[in-house]
Amino acid sequence: MKRALLLVPLAILALFVAAALWRLSSPPDPTIRSRLAGQPLPAFSLPAAVPGRPALDSAAFADGQPRLLNLFASWCVPCIAEAPMLLELERRGVTIEAIAVRDRPEDVARFLQRHGDPFRRIGLDTASKVQLSLGSAGVPESFVIDGRGIIRYQHVGVITAKDLPVLMAELEKAR
């Protein structure tokens, strides 16, 4: 009996190591998801982010055509990495609207000139009010919006090449 009691600390240590290995091999998803999936896009009206370009409002998303809404910023390094994928989506026929978050028009124009401009319209959200109303926690972030203005899918973070098939499928489902 006394010998069995000596194994208890070893068994506890083995359980702790097993639990730590399990959590390290499959960490929980730290992504903060919007609660608006399946809900209408919040009403908003933003000024144009770049002079001479169209402004953006929520009414534009209820024209019967699904589209991607991308939140980005010129000061966002991951947004630079995402830019080629947005151009690829545009090349595949995806309509992309954008919201420039906490940015300045001259910086947005410079960003588009350097990294490409796949956007049909870009609204300027200087105080992140629309971003927060979408439940967005950061940039870049994208939403698939159906033709009735309903949020169908949220993509948090940089869009990479492996995300393109998922986004194309979500856009097709949003038709």
Side-chain angles (χ1 to χ4, degrees):
M1 180 69 176
K2 191 174 183 181
R3 192 172 179 175
L5 287 176
L6 292 174
L7 295 177
V8 169
L10 185 60
I12 292 172
L13 177 64
L15 285 173
F16 175 76
V17 170
L21 289 174
W22 174 68
R23 292 310 293 170
L24 289 173
S25 67
S26 60
D29 184 4
T31 305
I32 299 171
R33 300 272 173 209
S34 172
R35 295 179 184 197
L36 294 181
Q39 303 293 317
L41 193 63
F44 67 86
S45 180
L46 295 171
V50 178
R53 299 281 305 265
L56 183 66
D57 61 41
S58 54
F61 292 86
D63 67 352
Q65 297 299 314
R67 65 196 67 208
L68 194 68
L69 173 61
N70 179 255
L71 280 65
F72 79 104
S74 66
W75 45 263
C76 162
V77 174
C79 297
I80 295 170
E82 181 180 66
M85 294 300 107
L86 293 173
L87 290 168
E88 175 61 22
L89 285 168
E90 180 197 32
R91 191 187 66 72
R92 293 182 185 193
V94 175
T95 299
I96 308 172
E97 313 287 3
I99 295 175
V101 177
R102 294 192 179 264
D103 225 321
R104 298 182 313 181
E106 61 271 20
D107 294 333
V108 173
R110 196 171 308 118
F111 180 91
L112 298 174
Q113 190 174 24
R114 279 190 191 150
H115 306 292
D117 183 1
F119 308 120
R120 187 160 80 175
R121 289 177 277 218
I122 309 171
L124 186 61
D125 187 13
T126 56
S128 295
K129 288 182 179 176
V130 175
Q131 179 192 24
L132 293 174
S133 73
L134 285 165
S136 168
V139 290
E141 195 162 323
S142 299
F143 296 88
V144 171
I145 314 293
D146 74 11
R148 296 180 301 135
I150 307 294
I151 298 171
R152 295 297 176 190
Y153 179 77
Q154 177 190 21
H155 179 88
V156 177
V158 176
I159 296 172
T160 63
K162 72 177 178 58
D163 300 318
L164 295 182
V166 174
L167 285 169
M168 293 302 291
E170 292 295 333
L171 285 158
E172 189 59 35
K173 284 192 321 191
R175 292 197 180 275

